[in-house]
Amino acid sequence: MEELSQIIEKIQASKDLDFEDGLLLMESKNLPLIGALADYVRQKTAGDEVMFVTNCHINYSNICASKCRFCAYFREEGQKGAFTLTIDEIMEKAENASRMGATELHIVGSLNPKLPFEYYEEVLSKLHEKYPSMSLKAYTAVEIAYLARISGMSVKDVLSRLKKAGLTGLPGGGGEIFNEETRKKVCPDKISGERWLEVMETAHSLGIKSNATMLYGHIETHSDIVDHILRLRKLQEKTGGFQAFIPLKFHPDNTELQKNGLVRYGPTGFDDLKIIAVSRLLLNGYINNIKTYWVMVGEKLAQVGLHYGANDIDGTVMEERITHAAGGAAPEYMPKDRLIHLIRNAGRIPVERTSNYKIIKKY
Ligand code: V47
């Protein structure tokens, strides 16, 4: 308690926490206290409502030039299990999602050298034409930077054309960990953290909202975690375009990091709750929605996360593939009733939202 007394004072006075505060929190083992502080801040900023969305993930391809060492999902062209969906196949998946009541499609894939920019644009325009009220949260900042590179267009032009085709917002994937040295070790061929932030800044300047993520529990240090969250906070101060922060729990199975012996086990439950709580505390006043992502932490811990600073449980997530390829044990789909049950049992009010955080229904 003593070690965190200055932090408690800052929180009570609604002052921003700084890098040193973040490190102290990360190093502390006083999880109940950190959780209580985060819960206090969550109550003040987000109240007792817990958001969720009825959504479906569509992964259009797993053939990827990036070959990240934490990823068990990608395949090389011609390798067993490699696939690329045709636009008709994507439409079929969207039809199924629409029949199941989805209001958001989360569309991400890979850096597939065979797919031209026009494929990405047509996916959105066809979906938008057929399902005009469906939110299309599509393509990470990494995919957007790749599209700019292969098409010769600027990031701004890529985003403008995609917006015109029906893009609602960008998912937060590809953030991984911004620290340059660590990033080089876990995803050497991916764009830098600074480039990721630049793409997000351009999206926000065009009125395209986005989410932000951080992959934790691999080889990163506490300092990398605090640095990552504070870089996001700095950009948010400038643009206000991030809608939610989602800490992503690393799953090591079938990944290069595990095969090389660099990571043996993924994060523990203690780490999962600590990261949610520290994110809430560091982002207080900047990003108001913190997700506890049941697909990665499991439904039981996701529910507990609602008492450690989170106010959003993501969604029904039909067809999640990336975590499952790396040993994720959560189901691939969570019926809406079950999400509502989890939220209510945590003593909170379930609120169904759109992709862009408009309220659809309170339960
Ligand atoms: O960018 C890859 C991560 C991300 C592994 O914006 C892994 O609302 C754990 O970004 N273990 C994709 N994680 C998922 C993502 C996401 C999910 C839910 C909601 C939103 C949102 C975004 O998954 C990748 C990468 O960081 N990832 N491999 C792994 N082995």
Side-chain angles (χ1 to χ4, degrees), residues 55 57 68-73 104 106 108 137 140 142 170-176 190 210-216 244 246 248-253 255 291 293 295-296 314 317 320 322-323 325-327 353 357:
N55 63 349
H57 284 208
C68 298
R69 291 175 184 160
F70 53 75
C71 180
Y73 181 68
E104 174 192 89
H106 174 128
V108 294
K137 184 178 74 172
T140 65
V142 178
L170 299 183
E176 322 310 1
K190 198 165 231 167
S210 77
N211 292 337
T213 59
M214 173 183 70
L215 186 68
Y216 68 90
I246 310 123
L248 299 175
K249 174 196 180 100
F250 176 55
H251 285 62
D253 290 2
T255 68
K291 285 193 196 179
Y293 186 38
V295 172
M296 292 202 179
D314 198 77
V317 191
E320 202 284 336
I322 297 171
T323 321
R353 61 165 175 85
Y357 285 83

Side-chain angles (χ1 to χ4, degrees), residues 305-344:
L306 297 177
H307 282 264
Y308 281 76
N311 70 313
D312 189 310
I313 199 158
D314 198 77
T316 50
V317 191
M318 305 157 210
E319 279 213 33
E320 202 284 336
R321 295 276 188 264
I322 297 171
T323 321
H324 289 87
E332 282 201 18
Y333 166 60
M334 177 90 74
K336 193 153 89 175
D337 283 1
R338 194 166 176 82
L339 275 181
I340 292 171
H341 175 68
L342 284 179
I343 297 168
R344 280 208 180 121

Side-chain angles (χ1 to χ4, degrees), residues 13 33 50 83 108 125 131 149 154 164 206 217 282 302 304 320 332 350 354 358:
L33 176 59
V50 170
F83 75 88
V108 294
S125 57
Y131 309 100
R149 184 150 77 77
S154 65
K164 210 165 154 208
L206 294 169
L282 290 178
V304 179
E320 202 284 336
E332 282 201 18
T354 65
K358 297 235 162 55

